Amino acid sequence: MMYDVIIIGGGVVGCGVARELSRYKAKVMLLEKTNDICNGQSKANTAIIHGGYDAKPNTLKAKFNVLGNAMFDKLHEELDVPIQWNTSLVVSFNKDDHPALEKLLQQGIQNGCRGELRIIDEKELREREPNVGSTACEALLVGSGGIVCPYELTIAFAENAAMNGVEFRRNAEVTDLKRLENGNWQVVSAAGTFETRAVVNAAGAYSDVFNNMVSERKVHIRPRRGEYYILDKKYRDVFHAAMFQLPTKMGKGILIAPTVDGTVLVGPTAEDIDDKEDKRTTAEGLAKSLREAGRTWEHIPMRGFITTFSGLRSTGDTGDFVLGEPDDAPHFFNCCAVESPGLTSSPAIADWLSKDIAAKLELAPNPDFNPIRKGIPKFREMNDEERAAAIAANPDFGKVVCRCETVTEAEIREAIRRPVGALDVDGIKRRTRAGMGRCQAGFCTPRTVEILSEELGISPLEVTKFGGTSKLLKEFLFEEGKNDA
Ligand SMILES: Cc1cc2nc3c(=O)[nH]c(=O)nc-3n(C[C@H](O)[C@H](O)[C@H](O)COP(=O)(O)OP(=O)(O)OC[C@H]3O[C@@H](n4cnc5c(N)ncnc54)[C@H](O)[C@@H]3O)c2cc1C
């Protein structure tokens, strides 16, 4: 089978590129290793739309951060992705740190950060954020700082790309890449062997592997783990802005950040590790998150934590994103080492890269491209009238499956039926929030498994949490139809 472009990796970057390429007449396929898209860094990050003050000037990080930041209002309109412009504050806790704040301010100006960017004094800081710690003395205010739902962004990119003709294959790990004599690429994957005119390398933590297979310009990625706590929604209003501390050489430091869904993140740590799959949380890492965040919020309520998680940054050895076609590998396009601010940068990387690919492959515009994608209607956000109308149109809206997040059966079924729909329990969670609330899926999992089994036409015993061997049920204790014994 011959393709124009094959994209390796279904994170926010790969799915963003897929959507942008669907603006052209081209045969495009995305191959994702795991059972679902959005299973790498794109699902486990702080979800900040960064203003762009932190990246070193004249780097790709600085350029794409600022360009990407400016694209989120349009993405919200076209793809129905939740965002909030809640500002970012970089708080200092020592008067001696004033020069460091000043440096960030100048860096932000040089990088071309949009909107308000200024240092605020303690009085204004406390007026804005009365719960900030007692030693806080001033802050950099970043008006263009915001928050986004990273899953919904990635899934929206993928759904819209699929609506516009991109093919998605999951459980399709790419294992080899070869240049053919005719100049095309052969892509060997768990879903088959394919020929393509161009390859996009968006394999996240493994993007160095593919770059190094085809180019002499080597890149090495060492994962940098970040561990977090998530706090219950009742703490959403403790802080309005994303509350950063001064960055360190390991990254942007530990922060307290509200999410668009109303929970609060505390973290992340930054620890270089060797195993690209080691997504554990550790007692030491979590304790560090708490200790450092304790300067920003002195009374973090331990009983408010609902869960913990970690994410692995794709930290490359060049200090910057590695993007585009290497000189020695024509028609191989890198989105390599896209660590933070990669979520913010993803729309701009996708826009720039797809234009470059289209020019080099001489792709014509797709006259049928439709940029609009609507999200799954959220019962929890409807008023009483809307709820009544939704239930009248589809009685499954009247059946609440996840009580913590008020997610209905209608939403869960739609999450499975959509293009690039959910195939497992975690996929339902990312598309609807069922299981993301206070009880952490304790109550809704059995019904979610039943619905997945019905919709996918598989036995409940085959339903998984996240694909592979992660089955949730071992055997039926009773024969079917006799289980009320
Ligand atoms: C702790 C942490 C905090 C962060 N906070 C922020 C933030 O607040 N704001 C911000 O802008 N950015 C942030 N980032 C960065 C951002 O999350 C990433 O830059 C972005 O998600 C990268 O997306 P990606 O698509 O390149 O990678 P990924 O999301 O990792 O996707 C890569 C995909 O490739 C697949 N894959 C790998 N190998 C293969 C193969 N052989 N075949 C097929 N598929 C393969 C993987 O399964 C995965 O799905 C943070 C990152 C971390 C880890």
Side-chain angles (χ1 to χ4, degrees):
M1 181 87 73
M2 178 70 184
Y3 287 86
D4 290 303
V5 187
I6 287 183
I7 301 164
I8 308 172
V12 71
V13 175
C15 293
V17 172
R19 182 206 187 213
E20 287 308 310
L21 282 174
S22 71
R23 293 178 188 272
Y24 300 93
K25 275 196 201 164
K27 198 162 165 49
V28 179
M29 175 165 67
L30 183 147
L31 299 174
E32 165 54 44
K33 172 169 80 167
T34 65
N35 202 41
D36 202 1
I37 53 167
C38 201
N39 248 336
Q41 301 163 82
S42 303
K43 77 168 178 191
N45 54 63
T46 324
I48 307 283
I49 308 174
H50 287 296
Y53 60 87
D54 182 53
K56 235 173 157 177
N58 304 316
T59 57
L60 294 171
K61 285 183 179 173
K63 172 180 161 182
F64 285 101
N65 184 152
V66 173
L67 288 173
N69 179 291
M71 295 169 81
F72 275 81
D73 280 325
K74 192 157 180 224
L75 290 173
H76 167 68
E77 246 169 64
E78 292 185 343
L79 299 178
D80 204 12
V81 172
I83 59 169
Q84 284 170 26
W85 294 113
N86 63 331
T87 72
S88 298
L89 289 172
V90 186
V91 179
S92 82
F93 296 88
N94 186 334
K95 280 274 176 223
D96 295 345
D97 285 335
H98 183 80
L101 277 188
E102 187 64 42
K103 186 174 169 220
L104 284 184
L105 171 67
Q106 293 311 324
Q107 205 163 259
I109 294 169
Q110 201 180 339
N111 289 346
C113 278
R114 300 184 308 132
E116 216 180 349
L117 188 69
R118 61 189 172 90
I119 293 176
I120 58 174
D121 62 14
E122 184 177 345
K123 182 167 173 288
E124 183 174 351
L125 172 60
R126 292 193 187 281
E127 276 163 11
R128 287 176 169 269
E129 303 289 355
N131 294 310
V132 71
S134 57
T135 55
C137 48
E138 54 184 345
L140 176 70
L141 181 148
V142 186
S144 61
I147 49 179
V148 60
C149 176
Y151 331 112
E152 200 144 347
L153 178 63
T154 308
I155 289 162
F157 277 150
E159 286 183 4
N160 191 236
M163 282 165 52
N164 287 301
V166 175
E167 203 180 315
F168 281 76
R169 303 245 188 140
R170 289 168 279 181
N171 296 305
E173 178 172 14
V174 175
T175 49
D176 200 13
L177 266 186
K178 249 188 226 104
R179 163 83 68 200
L180 297 171
E181 275 181 10
N182 63 7
N184 290 337
W185 291 99
Q186 186 185 65
V187 179
V188 181
S189 82
T193 297
F194 308 98
E195 186 174 338
T196 178
R197 296 172 66 203
V199 170
V200 172
N201 171 23
Y206 294 89
S207 54
D208 56 344
V209 174
F210 293 107
N211 173 77
N212 298 347
M213 264 183 200
V214 303
S215 173
E216 282 311 309
R217 198 184 68 176
K218 304 294 180 199
V219 180
H220 295 283
I221 290 179
R222 185 151 188 231
R224 183 169 289 170
R225 185 167 55 202
E227 301 184 35
Y228 298 83
Y229 277 108
I230 305 185
L231 273 152
D232 191 52
K233 287 180 173 177
K234 72 178 186 200
Y235 301 101
R236 167 61 185 93
D237 295 327
V238 174
F239 295 105
H240 169 75
M243 303 291 287
F244 288 81
Q245 301 183 0
L246 276 165
T248 67
K249 69 177 189 337
M250 295 293 275
K252 296 180 196 67
I254 285 178
L255 65 151
I256 295 182
T259 71
V260 289
D261 298 299
T263 51
V264 179
L265 299 176
V266 178
T269 49
E271 181 196 358
D272 288 335
I273 58 171
D274 294 317
D275 181 352
K276 291 183 176 182
E277 299 297 328
D278 187 355
K279 293 179 195 140
R280 273 178 301 169
T281 50
T282 61
E284 306 81 62
L286 292 169
K288 185 165 191 232
S289 275
L290 266 191
R291 206 169 43 246
E292 293 190 13
R295 288 200 294 174
T296 304
W297 186 3
E298 286 171 354
H299 306 289
I300 300 177
M302 304 289 285
R303 290 173 66 87
F305 293 129
I306 58 174
T307 191
T308 60
F309 71 96
S310 82
L312 302 184
R313 303 168 182 89
S314 296
T315 305
D317 55 359
T318 68
D320 202 359
F321 299 157
V322 178
L323 301 176
E325 202 182 21
D327 296 340
D328 56 351
H331 290 189
F332 172 88
F333 296 87
N334 263 321
C335 300
C336 180
V338 183
E339 59 173 337
S340 187
L343 180 67
T344 314
S345 306
S346 60
I349 293 175
D351 174 61
W352 168 78
L353 198 81
S354 63
K355 284 179 178 146
D356 191 33
I357 294 171
K360 286 175 177 150
L361 299 190
E362 298 182 351
L363 301 175
N366 172 5
D368 302 322
F369 175 74
N370 175 3
I372 306 300
R373 168 264 184 195
K374 289 308 283 175
I376 298 173
K378 296 180 176 97
F379 192 74
R380 66 181 169 277
E381 291 178 4
M382 295 177 192
N383 61 31
D384 286 350
E385 252 170 55
E386 290 164 338
R387 286 182 171 187
I391 294 168
N394 177 359
D396 283 348
F397 273 110
K399 301 175 196 160
V400 173
V401 176
C402 168
R403 286 187 259 165
C404 303
E405 295 290 310
T406 324
V407 182
T408 63
E409 187 167 321
E411 291 157 76
I412 293 176
R413 290 195 187 275
E414 184 166 345
I416 302 166
R417 291 175 191 169
R418 286 198 157 212
V420 207
L423 299 172
D424 54 39
V425 171
D426 282 356
I428 298 286
K429 197 163 130 178
R430 285 192 289 274
R431 286 167 179 80
T432 66
R433 289 196 60 76
M436 285 211 182
R438 187 152 186 111
C439 91
Q440 287 290 298
F443 283 97
C444 59
T445 301
R447 185 66 194 130
T448 304
V449 168
E450 274 175 351
I451 299 170
L452 274 162
S453 138
E454 286 165 23
E455 291 286 334
L456 299 175
I458 56 175
S459 157
L461 300 183
E462 296 303 313
V463 173
T464 63
K465 182 161 160 50
F466 49 80
T469 54
S470 65
K471 291 182 181 160
L472 288 142
L473 303 173
K474 197 164 161 52
E475 59 182 323
F476 292 115
L477 287 181
F478 304 102
E479 276 178 54
E480 238 176 306
K482 294 185 188 167
N483 53 355
D484 43 355

